[in-house]
Structures are given as C-alpha cells and as structure tokens.
C-alpha cells in the first residue's frame, strides 16, 4: 500500500464544510484512493474513492491533485453525526483483491455545535 | 445498516478457550474479510475469502483460522485464547473482491478474554 499521511485530529463547526487532507506521495498510477470513516467502535463505513478525477456522492466530495500526491475529503455541511475517525487508504493492486486495506491512525474529526 | 451481520455482538471467555465468530455477508457478495481492532494496533487485516476459497492472508495468528461455507457465510475460529486477543473483530464483504470495490463492514464482535 502507498503510505498515507493524515493529521491526527481536526475540529469543525457544525454546518461548516470539513476539509480533511491526505498525503499519498508514493501512490502509483493504478492505485485508487479510498476514504472510510469509523464512528466510535462501529464498523468502518465506506465514503468515497477515486483514481484521478474529482468525485462526488451523497456523502462527500473527493478532490485529488493533478499529480495525485494528495487528496482532500470534503464534507460540505458537517453535522454532529459526522464526528468520527476518517481513514485515507491507497491500497496496492494485489492482483484483484483490495481487501488488504491498511487502516492507519486516520484523522479524528470532532464536529462541534 | 450495511447488510453484513455478525454474531455474537459480545463474547466473554477465559484464557485457553476457543470461540467461533460468525459473519453473514451482504446478499450476493462473494468476498468476506476479517479484521481485528485492538486499542493499541488499530484495524488489522486478518484474512479474505472469495467464494469459499482463501484469497489473501494478513497478520493472522496460527491459533486463528477461518472458512467460508457454500452459502457464503464465514466463521472465524480463535483458539488457545490469550488476554491479548481481546479486541473488536469485524467482518466485511464485497462483490467480487476486485480492486475497485468498496467494503461493507458489520457492527463487529467484541471479544473479551479474562
């Protein structure tokens, strides 16, 4: 897996956009960037993934830099329920299996009223 | 609700014992993954099965084993339990286990070894 670096923690005001950065400078051309989150001891939840282009779904937007060395997860209107640990993962191509996701420490996002 | 069911939710046992954790994947998903989460190690990938066959192996101890049955449910067997095996055990599933697939996680089994 490409090594990813994320800030340990971040705060965000409720209703504001939360921008979570991730550095993955060693990512290879065929590696996707995945984002998951884990709300206190629950199972991790898939958020979004992308390869080159920016992506958006009902949960978040993913902005990937042109050189693909970093990305930003954007929660457009953070709520208290978005308080969680957010993991940025760039798994290598294991011949068709992306299950060997390496979850680092992630970023603990605290959304405050 | 992710569609992945894990039982039991909580398990308390003693050192030296053996336990079995069960996972039912989302309907139609062929791949099942097992992860261990302890306070000091974070989420650790243990093993993956695809349609009954072992596909990938992570840091799984020899005391641990898993299997996936013809109906696609999976079991993780933990034997000769030690205090350090106390952790949250998550199961996840995906469709074909390819590179471009998202994993859906169950709510986990909290194992406490006393």
């Amino acid at each position: 897996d490409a090594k990813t670096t994320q800030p340990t923690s971040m705060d965000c005001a409720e209703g504001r956009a939360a921008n979570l950065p991730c550095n993955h400078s060693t990512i290879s051309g065929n590696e996707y960037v995945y984002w998951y989150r884990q709300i206190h001891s629950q199972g991790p939840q898939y958020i979004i993934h992308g390869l080159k282009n920016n992506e958006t779904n009902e949960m978040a937007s993913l902005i990937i830099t042109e050189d693909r060395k970093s990305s930003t997860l954007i929660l457009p209107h953070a709520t208290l329920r978005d308080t969680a640990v957010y993991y940025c993962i760039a798994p290598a191509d294991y011949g068709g299996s992306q299950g060997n996701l390496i979850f680092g420490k992630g970023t603990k996002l605290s959304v405050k009223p | 609700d992710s569609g992945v069911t894990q039982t039991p939710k909580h398990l308390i046992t003693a050192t030296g014992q053996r336990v079995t954790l069960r996972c039912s994947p989302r309907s139609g998903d062929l791949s099942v993954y097992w992860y261990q989460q302890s306070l000091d190690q974070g989420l650790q990938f243990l093993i993956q099965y695809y349609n009954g066959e072992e596909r990938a192996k992570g840091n799984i101890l020899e005391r641990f084993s898993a299997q996936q049955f013809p109906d696609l449910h999976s079991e993780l067997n933990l034997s000769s339990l030690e205090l350090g095996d106390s952790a949250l055990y998550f199961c996840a599933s995906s469709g074909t286990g390819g590179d471009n697939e998202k994993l859906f996680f169950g709510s986990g089994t909290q194992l406490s070894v006393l």
Side-chain angles (χ1 to χ4, degrees):
Chain A
D1 287 12
K3 180 176 172 58
T4 59
T5 306
Q6 298 177 253
T8 302
S9 63
M10 292 181 64
D11 289 341
C12 177
E14 188 178 18
R16 305 297 294 268
N19 297 282
L20 293 93
C22 178
N23 288 321
H24 33 77
S25 58
T26 59
I27 196 170
S28 63
N30 62 348
E31 288 185 331
Y32 285 79
V33 177
Y34 290 81
W35 283 83
Y36 284 77
R37 72 180 182 183
Q38 187 174 24
I39 297 171
H40 184 59
S41 295
Q42 296 180 21
Q45 178 189 24
Y46 166 84
I47 302 174
I48 198 166
H49 74 282
L51 184 62
K52 292 181 182 178
N53 302 318
N54 298 336
E55 302 288 343
T56 295
N57 62 20
E58 67 278 3
M59 289 184 68
S61 295
L62 176 61
I63 308 298
I64 303 174
T65 58
E66 195 169 338
D67 62 7
R68 300 203 337 113
K69 292 186 176 182
S70 66
S71 60
T72 301
L73 178 74
I74 301 172
L75 307 178
H77 306 286
T79 70
L80 299 179
R81 287 176 295 181
D82 292 322
T83 292
V85 177
Y86 287 77
Y87 298 98
C88 167
I89 306 164
D93 181 350
Y94 286 110
S97 170
Q98 68 110 313
N100 194 0
L101 300 179
I102 296 179
F103 289 80
K105 300 291 187 184
T107 296
K108 181 170 174 53
L109 175 69
S110 297
V111 180
K112 300 183 184 299
Chain B
D1 182 11
S2 67
V4 178
T5 303
Q6 289 188 248
T7 56
K9 290 194 183 302
H10 302 276
L11 199 49
I12 301 174
T13 188
T15 55
Q17 294 299 305
R18 172 190 168 94
V19 297
T20 297
L21 312 184
R22 182 187 170 99
C23 170
S24 294
R26 290 189 320 153
S27 177
D29 280 359
L30 300 178
S31 272
V32 169
Y33 312 79
W34 286 97
Y35 283 80
Q36 178 193 54
Q37 186 172 35
S38 54
L39 286 175
D40 57 347
Q41 292 291 326
L43 272 160
Q44 300 286 317
F45 168 72
L46 296 178
I47 198 164
Q48 178 200 358
Y49 278 81
Y50 173 74
N51 202 20
E53 299 290 327
E54 182 184 304
R55 175 171 267 195
K57 215 167 189 175
N59 299 321
I60 187 167
L61 300 173
E62 285 192 12
R63 300 183 286 108
F64 295 1
S65 65
Q67 54 184 327
Q68 186 179 27
F69 295 86
D71 67 352
L72 301 177
H73 90 272
S74 177
E75 292 180 356
L76 179 67
N77 301 296
L78 315 176
S79 61
S80 303
L81 285 167
E82 302 175 359
L83 295 177
D85 297 327
S86 295
L88 258 172
Y89 291 84
F90 290 107
C91 167
S93 75
S94 70
T96 62
D99 281 344
N100 191 19
E101 294 220 38
K102 39 192 174 182
L103 268 59
F104 294 86
F105 284 79
S107 56
T109 293
Q110 177 69 61
L111 174 66
S112 298
V113 182
L114 306 178

